[in-house]
Structures are given as C-alpha cells and as structure tokens.
C-alpha cells in the first residue's frame, strides 16, 4: 500500500468526553492546564467559532498539534 | 422497427473516446444500436450539426421535495440532466416519522434555504418509510432519480430528540444499520452525512453527534451493497477537510465503498487549499481508496434581499435572527433602533464597508432602477450613510424588495478552476440543484461547463461529456446509465456544442409558499430523451413520464 505524507494529527472525542479528558488523552506529557489551552488554540472551529463555544461533538476532528509549517 | 432513431449527430458516447458521426437507435427504452443505423423508427430526431451524448447526471441535488410536484426537476431536465441525486448533506424526506416532520422542515429551511411552505402546501405527505417516499415520487417522474438517504434522518428515526444530544448506544447503532439496510433495499443509492450543518435553532444536525464508530457501522452496511457515502466536510478549513479525506479513505478501504465529499471551492484567499486536497486524494487513491472530491463548475454568486433569510447572513447572527421573523415582525425589527444598532455592530467597526461595500444592487420589483449596477458602498456614500445602514434604510424604503448580489465570491477564475475540473480524480457535481432558492440559481452548471471550460480549451468536448455522464455513472455504480452503448438505458441529450450554456439568472415565482427562486434557462439544448422517450424538445417539456428511481 502506498505511503501517505504526514498530515496534522487529530483525534475524535469519545462519548461525553470533556476537553480536559481529551487533552489528558491527546497531550499526556503536558500539564493538564497547558494541554487544555493547547487543544483550544489548535481547534478554533470548536472552541471559538461554534455556538455554544466548546460543545464537543462525537464527529469532531480535534487536532492534537499545531498546523504543519509549509503544509 | 425502432422506437426512436437519433440521426446524423456527432456521437460522444460518454466514455471519453473521440466523437464520431453516426446514429443512435432506441427500442423499449434502451439503446439498441450505435453507429450507422439502418431501419425505420416511429420517431426520428434529426441531430445534424449537433452532439448526441448520454444524459447528464447531477450527483448533488436537493430536489427531494420538488420531485413531489415537479417530476422533471425543472429546469434541470431542459439543461440535459436526465438523472439527479437528491438526499445529500444528511437530509432526505425518508425515513421520517410524522412527529419529526417539523424538525426536518426546519433543517431544510436553515441548511438548504427552502421555504417551509414547500413541504406543506404542494403535496400530500403520505409516507414514513423510504419505500413510501419512492412510491410517492415515482408516480410522475420524467427525470431519473438516484436518491441518497440522510444520516440525520436515520438517526432521528432511531433516537428521536436524543439524536441531537448524544452518542448512540450499541443497540441504537444496530437499529440504524437495520434501517439503512431497509432504505438501500428500497432503492437508496447510498448514505449522506454532514459535519458542518446546523438546524434552524443553530443546533448541530443529528449526524454531527455520531461517533466515528457509528459511521463505520453504517458504512459496513453500505459495503454490503457497494453503495456511496457522501459527506459535507468543513470545507472552509483545509486541514479538517484533509482529515475527512483520510476518514473517508479508511471507510472506503475497509468496506470497499465509493465515497465523495462536496463542496470543493477554489478561493483566492486560500489558493493552496484545493491543490492540497487533490494531492491527498491522489495519495489515497494510490492506496486503493475511492474518495472523490466533488467540484462545482460555477462561481459562487449569492443574491439576497431582506425579504427572506439568506446564507449570506450566516456569519451575522443578529441579521439572521431578524430576517427569520414573519414579515410584520421583521419590519418591526428593522425599524427598531435598538435592534438595528445590534445588527450594525455585527458588521464591524466600519459598519459594513469591508463586508458589504462590494455588494451590487441587482434590482428587484421595487428597486430604484437608477441604482441597479451600483455597489452598496457607492449607494451608501451618495446617501451619506454607512453600507450596513444604507442596506437597511434603502430596503425599508422599498418594501424590502431590493436585491443585491455578492458576485464572484469564490471559484471564479477559469484558468485555475479549469485544470482542477479536468483532473482525472475530480468528480464534477455539487450543483445543489433545488436548494438555496433565493440565493442563487442551482441550474445550468453543465451548460456552463461547456461554455466556460470546453469552449475556452480547458477540457475537450469528449472529456467534459465523460465527466458528467460515464465517469459519474461509474463513480456512483449506476450501471445502466452514462454511456451510449447497446443495452444501456436510453438517456440522451442532443445539443449544439457552440451554443450550450446557462442563460442569465432570473427570479421566477413558481414555488409553493412565498414562491420565489432564482433560476436559469438552458441554451443550446435541442432534445432530451429519458429512458427512450422524448421528455424535452424545441424549448418545451413533453407529456412523457418515463423517469424511474435508478440504482
């Protein structure tokens, strides 16, 4: 099977998962508060553009890293 | 004795092969012979100097409701379209319980800009299940229909109000699988889902509450039938769209299904977006996945007046809130200084100069003719107002019937879009036919393909025909359609390659409810046959009703 170029990594929220739980799962090496801030800053489509902001949906793409430079 | 012979045309058979001079003979609704045909026929269509091609297939429409009172999906058929795919974007008219009708109508109203009266005044709603909907439209079809079933309505049927609140349980997912299977057995061509849409209250539609595991389970059912999964991704964000491409590829590979996503817009502000999407699609196809980006041909033009809510105001929630009110309350809101100040605040510190200034007044029954063609910025300056205030005050002075157009808001550069459309993995479609009635005409994209991209040299005639006939049929598994070959269904369009086009966008008043929609007539289309019967010729629709639900 042909290889894929690397793209921005993401996860999808689990049922009833909070942003804190998701941050802990997706960015386990960072302190929780920093991890939550990072998740929020990388996912403005969920945490800024959505009404109500931060409503996590099961189908969401939630990025766990910043945009890849020169992508 | 044949039923019909289409004689002496340039036969472009939908395969992409070079056209050739010849005839197409039809018997019992099917193509009987292609080439130099001898013999007689009850009807002879003279195609001298014309192209004879398979009927066009429009794979992204919302004709679900219109088909209940207009079996030709006008004006799609006169543009040469002989097969439409309704049920996109997670919304279809079945399966749906009676108790959920108002909820679905609200979603159609919000997402597809269709007036609620279209669902309540023009037909008798007699069905709940998919087979019932199929039977209701089949009574009077002159166009073929390959309907998708919507994920949101499947979820709504199984989960009720909880479909817009939470993840499904394993039992609920099993029930959705069973329901989807029933729909596919009843003639659905696949499943549609949406990752972006909200209902009339701003709440995400049911499909967006699904875990990936739910979509995976439903895709497993699609795999039993080899049917299509259509999605609306977050098209405004390239990284998210690429993530969706990867999800679709996973489902395609795992369940051996075709998938497609739309819309795909080329936008001057993000020139690398479509190239990045196509590059990812190429990688996924190389792995064996089938993920078809579906791209429209026409530029993004949006018209509106303050008579109706419009997607133009999607990012101006206070405007949308006022425009959703019944006329009397809407007028009261637009005259209320406190409400107006909040609306003005929505448009930014320059009061709409950047956001609204380039709008062009296109006219309207009550629009001052001397202002037609002027920008709102120019009009505002002349009135000593800011654009946002001028939009409101001018509209109020003329009973709100002053239409503006936001022209060329994307996808407008032929030299960029042409090569994209010609790409072998780009699927041409995404017309949205039958939706966004008061925002833009969703008809004539096929004519525009020829006038703008073939006649300007970006695609050959044969390429363009194949893109919207044979290739589309292959992508969707419509085995009977898309090619002029003996044995195939006789869906045929006869057109003038030098004239085929879409006409000017005009408002007409033929819809239930408040009645207005923008539409475009066809140019250069001589004759359209559906399943061997002449359905449109010489500028008129016939009484033929040979359309079927085709899968």
């Amino acid at each position: 099977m042909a290889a894929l170029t690397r793209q921005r990594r993401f996860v999808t929220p689990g049922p009833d998962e909070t942003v804190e739980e998701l941050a802990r799962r997706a960015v386990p090496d960072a302190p929780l508060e920093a991890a939550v801030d990072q998740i929020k800053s990388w996912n403005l489509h969920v945490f800024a553009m959505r009404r109500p902001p931060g409503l996590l949906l099961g189908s969401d793409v939630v990025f766990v890293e910043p945009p890849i430079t020169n992508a | 004795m044949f039923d019909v012979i289409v004689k002496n045309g340039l036969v472009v058979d939908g395969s992409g092969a070079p056209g050739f001079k010849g005839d197409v003979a039809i018997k019992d609704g099917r193509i009987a012979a292609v080439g130099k045909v001898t013999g007689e026929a009850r009807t002879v269509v003279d195609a001298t100097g014309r192209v004879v091609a398979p009927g066009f297939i429009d794979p992204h429409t919302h004709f679900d409701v219109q088909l209940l009172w207009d079996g030709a999906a006008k004006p799609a058929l006169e543009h040469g379209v002989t097969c439409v795919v309704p049920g996109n974007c997670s919304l279809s008219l079945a399966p749906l319980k009676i108790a959920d009708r108002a909820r679905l109508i609200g979603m159609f109203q919000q997402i597809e800009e269709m007036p609620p009266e279209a669902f309540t005044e023009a037909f008798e709603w007699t069905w709940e299940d998919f087979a019932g909907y199929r039977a209701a439209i089949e009574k009077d079809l002159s166009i073929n229909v390959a309907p998708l079933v919507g994920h949101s309505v499947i979820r709504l049927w199984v989960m009720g109000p909880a479909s817009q609140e939470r993840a499904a349980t394993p039992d609920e997912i099993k029930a959705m699988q069973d329901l989807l299977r029933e729909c596919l057995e009843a003639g659905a061509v696949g499943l549609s889902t949406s990752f972006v849409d909200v209902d009339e209250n701003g709440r995400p539609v049911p499909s967006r509450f699904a875990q990936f595991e739910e979509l995976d389970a439903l895709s497993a059912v699609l795999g039993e039938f080899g049917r299509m999964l259509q999605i609306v991704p977050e098209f405004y964000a390239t990284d998210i769209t690429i993530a969706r491409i990867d999800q679709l590829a996973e489902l395609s590979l795992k369940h051996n299904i075709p998938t497609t996503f739309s819309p795909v817009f080329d936008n001057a502000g993000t020139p690398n977006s479509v190239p990045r999407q196509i590059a990812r699609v190429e990688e996924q196809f190389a792995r064996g996945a089938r993920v078809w980006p579906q791209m429209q041909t026409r530029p993004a033009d949006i018209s509106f007046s303050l008579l109706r809510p419009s997607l133009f105001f999607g990012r101006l929630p206070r405007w949308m809130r006022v425009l959703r009110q019944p006329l009397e309350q809407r007028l009261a809101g637009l005259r209320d200084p406190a409400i107006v100040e909040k609306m003005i605040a929505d448009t930014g510190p320059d009061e709409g100069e950047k956001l609204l200034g380039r709008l062009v007044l296109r006219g309207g029954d009550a629009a001052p003719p001397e202002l037609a063609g002027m920008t709102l910025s120019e009009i505002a300056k002349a009135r000593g107002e800011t654009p946002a205030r001028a939009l409101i005050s001018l509209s109020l002075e003329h009973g709100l019937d002053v239409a503006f157009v936001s022209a060329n808001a994307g996808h407008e550069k032929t030299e960029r879009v042409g090569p994209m459309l010609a790409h072998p993995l780009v699927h041409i479609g995404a017309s949205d036919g039958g939706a966004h009635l008061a925002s833009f005409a969703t008809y004539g994209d096929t004519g525009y393909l020829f006038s703008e991209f073939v006649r300007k040299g970006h695609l050959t005639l044969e390429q363009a025909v194949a893109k919207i006939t044979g290739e589309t049929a292959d992508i969707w598994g419509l085995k009977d359609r898309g090619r002029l070959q003996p044995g195939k269904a006789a869906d045929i369009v006869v057109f003038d390659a030098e004239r085929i086009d879409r006409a000017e966008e005009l408002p007409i008043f033929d819809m239930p409810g408040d009645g207005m929609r923008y539409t475009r007539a066809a140019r250069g289309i001589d004759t359209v046959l559906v399943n061997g019967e002449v359905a449109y010729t010489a500028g008129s629709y016939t009484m033929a009703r040979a359309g079927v639900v085709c899968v």
Side-chain angles (χ1 to χ4, degrees):
Chain A
M1 193 172 280
L4 293 169
T5 55
R6 188 169 115 63
Q7 298 290 332
R8 202 171 167 195
R9 289 183 297 115
F10 69 94
V11 299
T12 55
D16 301 321
E17 192 171 35
T18 64
V19 63
E20 288 78 14
E21 291 164 341
L22 188 147
R24 195 175 291 123
R25 170 166 68 97
V27 197
D29 297 334
L32 180 59
E33 194 174 339
V36 168
D37 286 347
Q38 284 180 320
I39 290 291
K40 288 182 175 177
S41 70
W42 294 331
N43 294 283
L44 298 181
H45 60 290
V46 175
F47 296 98
M49 293 163 64
R50 178 168 296 164
R51 289 184 180 81
L55 171 67
L56 273 176
L57 303 175
S59 67
D60 279 336
V61 163
V62 180
F63 292 110
V64 296
E65 62 181 1
I68 298 172
T69 311
N70 298 324
Chain B
M1 171 75 83
F2 296 112
D3 296 329
V4 182
I5 299 179
V6 183
K7 289 190 82 72
N8 298 323
L10 177 66
V11 177
V12 177
D13 68 4
S15 70
F20 57 90
K21 290 279 174 60
D23 316 316
V24 179
I26 298 164
K27 180 76 176 169
D28 297 332
R30 296 196 168 266
I31 294 171
V34 179
K36 184 63 189 168
V37 174
T38 55
E40 296 185 351
R42 281 199 294 277
T43 302
V44 174
V45 176
D46 180 9
T48 305
R50 300 289 185 260
V51 173
V52 181
F56 307 147
I57 302 170
D58 188 339
H60 186 123
T61 82
H62 297 279
F63 283 120
D64 309 68
V65 67
Q66 186 178 329
L67 287 167
L68 290 156
W69 71 80
D70 167 20
K74 291 174 186 169
L77 197 146
E78 72 195 62
H79 282 280
V81 174
T82 57
C83 183
V84 295
V85 178
N88 280 275
C89 307
S90 94
L91 304 180
S92 57
L93 290 189
L96 189 74
K97 294 172 182 168
I98 292 172
D100 292 325
R101 284 178 185 167
R103 190 182 282 249
L104 181 70
I105 291 169
M107 291 183 213
F108 265 107
Q109 184 184 2
Q110 165 67 23
I111 299 162
E112 308 303 344
E113 299 187 288
M114 299 164 81
E117 294 86 351
F119 298 81
T120 57
E121 294 187 1
F123 63 92
E124 189 181 357
W125 199 326
T126 56
W127 66 89
E128 286 194 329
D129 64 3
F130 202 85
Y133 171 70
R134 175 180 178 159
I137 60 170
E138 274 184 324
K139 286 177 187 163
D140 196 34
L141 282 182
S142 46
I143 199 167
N144 297 312
V145 182
L148 290 159
V149 59
H151 186 183
S152 283
V153 296
I154 284 189
R155 225 169 184 267
L156 188 55
W157 179 287
V158 170
M159 300 175 66
S163 65
Q164 284 183 281
E165 293 167 2
R166 62 170 171 80
T169 65
D171 285 348
E172 288 166 338
I173 291 175
K174 170 72 169 53
M176 283 187 242
Q177 286 183 299
D178 292 343
L179 185 56
L180 173 59
R181 192 175 291 110
E182 180 186 309
C183 296
L184 296 173
E185 285 168 349
V189 74
L191 176 75
S192 68
T193 196
S194 169
F195 296 108
V196 296
D197 291 309
V198 296
D199 68 12
E200 75 278 24
N201 300 312
R203 185 86 180 155
V205 295
S207 63
R208 296 179 62 189
F209 288 82
Q211 305 292 132
F212 186 72
E213 291 73 15
E214 179 180 320
L215 194 55
D216 180 49
L218 294 173
S219 297
V221 178
L222 292 174
E224 295 169 16
F225 296 77
R227 302 251 172 102
M228 177 63 83
L229 174 63
Q230 182 267 344
I231 73 156
V232 191
E234 294 86 338
F235 52 89
Y236 50 83
T238 312
D239 279 355
I240 310 178
T241 301
I242 286 175
R244 297 300 181 199
I245 291 170
D246 288 356
Q247 289 183 319
L248 289 179
E250 182 179 334
L251 296 170
S252 176
L253 287 167
K254 183 175 178 183
H255 302 295
N256 192 23
I257 56 171
T259 66
T260 185
F261 63 98
S262 54
V264 179
F265 281 118
D266 183 52
N267 192 308
T270 52
N272 291 329
S273 180
V274 175
R276 283 187 61 207
Q277 293 175 49
I278 292 177
R280 192 57 166 184
V281 163
E282 288 172 341
E283 290 182 357
Q284 292 292 6
F285 265 90
R287 299 171 71 226
R290 287 175 284 165
V291 185
W292 298 97
Q294 200 180 127
M295 180 177 272
Q296 71 181 58
T297 62
R298 66 169 187 269
D301 300 335
I302 302 174
S303 294
F304 69 89
S305 72
L306 302 192
L307 274 173
R308 301 167 188 83
S310 163
L311 61 77
F312 180 80
F313 296 105
R315 293 192 176 182
L316 298 174
R318 290 184 176 112
W319 289 67
M320 195 60 113
R321 214 169 293 145
V322 171
L323 298 181
R324 279 229 190 84
Q325 301 296 318
L327 184 59
E328 287 307 312
Q329 285 127 290
R330 196 181 324 148
L331 285 166
L334 292 169
R335 289 179 181 131
D336 182 328
I339 291 174
V340 167
E341 288 310 311
K342 287 181 180 171
M343 293 169 68
I344 299 293
D346 258 6
T347 63
D350 65 357
E351 298 197 356
E353 183 58 45
K354 273 189 194 154
L355 192 67
L356 307 171
R358 63 189 287 271
L359 295 170
V360 173
L361 192 142
R362 66 171 289 161
D365 284 353
E370 68 274 15
L371 300 184
M374 289 178 68
T375 66
L376 183 56
S377 184
E378 292 167 341
I379 294 168
K381 281 193 181 80
R383 293 168 65 91
E385 295 179 305
T386 60
R389 293 181 192 279
L391 174 56
I392 294 173
S393 60
L394 182 65
S395 297
L396 281 172
E397 288 163 18
H398 299 282
L400 306 188
D401 193 8
V402 181
F404 290 86
V405 60
S406 169
N408 291 328
H411 210 64
E412 76 274 26
K413 293 195 184 312
T414 295
E415 64 276 15
R416 284 182 56 85
V417 175
M420 293 171 182
L421 293 173
H423 190 287
L425 296 180
V426 169
H427 176 22
I428 294 180
S431 78
D432 259 341
H436 305 296
L437 303 179
S439 287
F440 42 77
T442 54
Y443 323 99
D445 287 16
T446 46
Y448 190 69
L449 172 66
F450 293 97
S451 65
E452 188 66 18
F453 297 101
V454 174
R455 295 208 283 274
K456 291 184 178 176
H458 292 279
L459 289 88
T460 66
L461 174 68
E462 289 84 354
Q463 259 184 309
V465 168
K467 279 274 188 187
I468 55 176
T469 60
E471 290 181 18
T472 301
D474 291 347
I475 290 168
W476 286 77
L478 301 171
K479 294 184 173 62
D480 242 9
R481 314 277 153 187
R483 285 191 173 79
L484 300 180
Q485 290 174 351
K488 298 275 189 192
D491 297 339
I492 295 172
V493 55
V494 180
F495 66 91
D496 182 341
E498 298 305 315
R499 285 189 59 241
I500 184 172
D501 203 349
R502 57 179 198 170
E504 184 186 358
E505 183 178 89
L506 294 171
I508 63 169
F509 296 83
D510 66 347
M511 298 295 288
D514 70 358
M516 180 266 184
R517 63 171 169 159
Y518 284 110
T519 188
R520 292 179 188 268
R523 286 186 178 144
I525 301 285
D526 286 16
T527 300
V528 183
L529 294 96
V530 176
N531 295 312
E533 295 194 21
V534 176
Y536 176 86
T537 191
S540 297
Y541 288 84
T542 72
M543 298 301 288
R545 296 290 183 271
V548 297
V549 171
C550 56
V551 178

